[in-house]
Amino acid sequence: MVSPRKSRDPQTLRPATRLVHGASLRSQFEETSEALFLTQGYLYDTMEIAESRFKGTEPGFIYSRFSNPTVTMFEKRMALLEGAEAARATASGMAAVTAALMGQVRAGDHVVAAKACFGSCLYVVEDLLPRFGVSSTLVEGADLGAWAQAMRPNTKTAFLESPTNPTLEVIDIAGVAEIVHKAGATLVVDNVFASPMLQRPLQLGADCVVYSATKHIDGQGRTLGGVILASEAFITAHIHNFLRQTGPSLSPFNAWVMLKSLETLPVRVAAQMRSAEKIADYLADHQSVVRVLYPGRADHPQAALVKRQMSGGGTLVTFEVKGGKAAAFKMANALSIIGISNNLGDAKSLLTHPATTTHQRLKPEARAHLGIGEGMVRLSVGLEDVDDLIEDLAQALDAPGAQARHAAE
Ligand SMILES: Cc1ncc(COP(=O)(O)O)c(C=O)c1O
């Protein structure tokens, strides 16, 4: 008789293999591709089984606001990738950030965050938490002394994003974690820009990692989602009940799209990063470009720190064109392949002008303080042939006058 095939413990597999085979919950049909369980609820064979599921004495699904097989597969595969004990999926990246912060605090607590965070994250820290009696302090993320100074006896948690948007400044995650832990607080890191392939905040000392899975994890611009990863104890103490009772759940459909996307995440991020490196080098030599900010280049202001905490420069390149806003607009309007969009981490290359879009609400002095110039654009490099992207940038940077977009079509 042939004995059943052995299956390997996913923990012993390399990341790319974990992302293809890890955390599959195969049904009785033995499908190769993971199933999409579009169901709100579950049937219990007996009243006794229902009782024990609710008591938690028997494993099983109860209600899709907080437990669904497809969502569970996505969460477990993310945890395998990140090296986290536990993960919870959310409806969007902002639902993940909000839960990771609100789940930890109560009135009278204090939160410290880096100034250069995504605008909606700043809203949570600066506007939302104070409404519930939680005070906050914003610091220069790269200044470890500022983090130490901001800590108070009632500081519960700290929050940062690295690399930052749009200047791709890198914050010393291990350094901040040490300061925060000394003060008895926790550190939450928004790892969206690096992606889980290039930076592992938990290994650097963070207590919790959050993602907008909308970005590299979906990677093809389709679905919104978020993930929170941490130790089992952190998730149990701060996250599980908050999500279960308040309900910002990831739909099983979106979880399925993202679960399948994880299978291709390593090849996508590697290819996008190879192109980003080439594009950054091309732009650095271009006469119409004042400066290029790319964490993978030796001239990045924190190149040594990048080497210590990231395994690559990422898929985003920020650069400043000569001639300010007018020149940036002229160049962007002349692009024929690269799209104009504030989104990132997509198979399609996307370019945005932060001063007039993502950061337009800031006062000009605040933008200047963050290093966001009028001629600055942020490019999210996609999966197109890099030579086509470079040709597109070349013709747009050399465009003699304002041209109609997609003139070649
Ligand atoms: C760094 C960062 N964090 C969080 C978010 C929020 O993610 P979502 O749009 O999925 O809510 C974004 C979205 O652009 C982001 O760029």
Side-chain angles (χ1 to χ4, degrees):
M1 202 177 84
V2 182
S3 52
R5 275 161 53 89
K6 274 189 264 169
S7 59
R8 280 265 299 271
D9 172 5
Q11 301 285 357
T12 66
L13 300 169
R14 291 169 183 82
T17 317
R18 291 182 188 190
L19 288 173
V20 176
H21 292 284
S24 275
L25 287 174
R26 212 155 257 137
S27 79
Q28 72 272 31
F29 301 116
E30 298 285 354
E31 62 279 354
T32 47
S33 175
E34 293 74 3
L36 165 53
F37 291 93
L38 268 185
T39 182
Q40 297 167 346
Y42 307 86
L43 296 172
Y44 313 105
D45 260 358
T46 63
M47 295 301 284
E48 287 75 11
I49 291 174
E51 184 182 23
S52 53
R53 290 260 175 99
F54 271 78
K55 271 191 186 158
T57 52
E58 184 184 296
F61 297 97
I62 295 176
Y63 186 57
S64 286
R65 175 163 20 86
F66 51 89
S67 60
N68 172 281
T70 309
V71 178
T72 298
M73 285 191 268
F74 172 59
E75 291 170 339
K76 288 196 182 305
R77 199 169 273 184
M78 276 302 303
L80 275 176
L81 169 64
E82 196 76 34
E85 283 176 14
R88 289 293 182 278
T90 55
S92 68
M94 281 322 302
V97 171
T98 307
L101 296 179
M102 287 203 87
Q104 292 189 77
V105 294
R106 60 187 65 236
D109 287 342
H110 174 242
V111 172
V112 182
K115 270 183 201 164
C117 280
F118 180 58
S120 302
C121 300
L122 286 181
Y123 164 80
V124 173
V125 171
E126 280 191 292
D127 294 351
L128 188 63
L129 292 178
R131 280 204 243 151
F132 300 93
V134 178
S135 57
S136 59
T137 306
L138 296 182
V139 297
E140 297 296 341
D143 179 355
L144 290 181
W147 287 95
Q149 253 184 358
M151 294 296 143
R152 297 185 198 157
N154 60 339
T155 305
K156 262 281 151 58
T157 190
F159 179 76
L160 66 85
E161 171 186 322
S162 180
T164 61
N165 177 30
T167 56
L168 307 181
E169 185 181 44
V170 177
I171 298 179
D172 181 349
I173 296 173
V176 175
E178 199 183 324
I179 292 165
V180 165
H181 291 158
K182 239 185 225 155
T186 62
L187 176 63
V188 179
V189 173
D190 180 336
N191 205 30
V192 165
F193 270 53
S195 93
M197 297 315 304
L198 304 176
Q199 181 169 270
R200 296 282 160 77
L202 295 178
Q203 288 165 18
L204 294 165
D207 301 278
C208 176
V209 181
V210 287
Y211 287 103
S212 165
T214 315
K215 307 298 187 292
H216 298 93
I217 292 171
D218 173 300
Q220 287 146 88
R222 300 159 297 187
T223 53
L224 275 92
V227 199
I228 305 170
L229 298 120
S231 66
E232 203 72 62
F234 186 101
I235 295 285
T236 304
H238 307 298
I239 307 299
H240 180 78
N241 223 20
F242 184 91
L243 293 177
R244 176 175 176 149
Q245 314 303 350
T246 60
S249 334
L250 182 64
S251 96
F253 178 78
N254 288 8
W256 179 77
V257 170
M258 288 174 176
L259 174 72
K260 299 306 291 174
S261 283
L262 285 179
E263 296 178 352
T264 56
L265 182 71
V267 280
R268 282 188 286 108
V269 170
Q272 286 168 259
M273 188 166 76
R274 272 197 306 277
S275 297
E277 287 164 355
K278 276 196 181 168
I279 289 170
D281 290 345
Y282 165 78
L283 290 169
D285 286 339
H286 198 286
Q287 57 180 9
S288 305
V289 174
V290 185
R291 66 175 176 147
V292 173
L293 294 165
Y294 180 63
R297 274 178 61 86
D299 63 1
H300 186 276
Q302 298 141 300
L305 175 58
V306 172
K307 273 223 163 76
R308 278 208 311 277
Q309 76 175 28
M310 294 176 71
S311 54
T315 65
L316 289 126
V317 181
T318 293
F319 60 102
E320 185 137 12
V321 295
K322 268 185 202 155
K325 178 181 166 185
F329 271 37
K330 192 181 89 176
M331 183 272 297
N333 286 334
L335 292 166
S336 63
I337 298 169
I338 298 169
I340 298 174
S341 172
N342 48 292
N343 206 7
L344 62 103
D346 197 306
K348 295 183 168 59
S349 291
L350 303 171
L351 179 132
T352 190
H353 182 250
T356 51
T357 58
T358 50
H359 292 71
Q360 56 105 356
R361 270 174 302 163
L362 297 183
K363 294 204 174 81
E365 313 83 71
R367 275 200 299 272
H369 182 77
L370 290 172
I372 303 169
E374 293 292 310
M376 180 178 275
V377 290
R378 186 198 74 195
L379 173 64
S380 168
V381 179
L383 284 170
E384 303 92 339
D385 189 307
V386 66
D387 292 335
D388 283 330
L389 296 176
I390 289 176
E391 277 172 26
D392 199 23
L393 286 162
Q395 62 82 24
L397 283 164
D398 297 335
Q403 297 181 358
R405 274 180 61 72
H406 307 291
E409 284 172 10

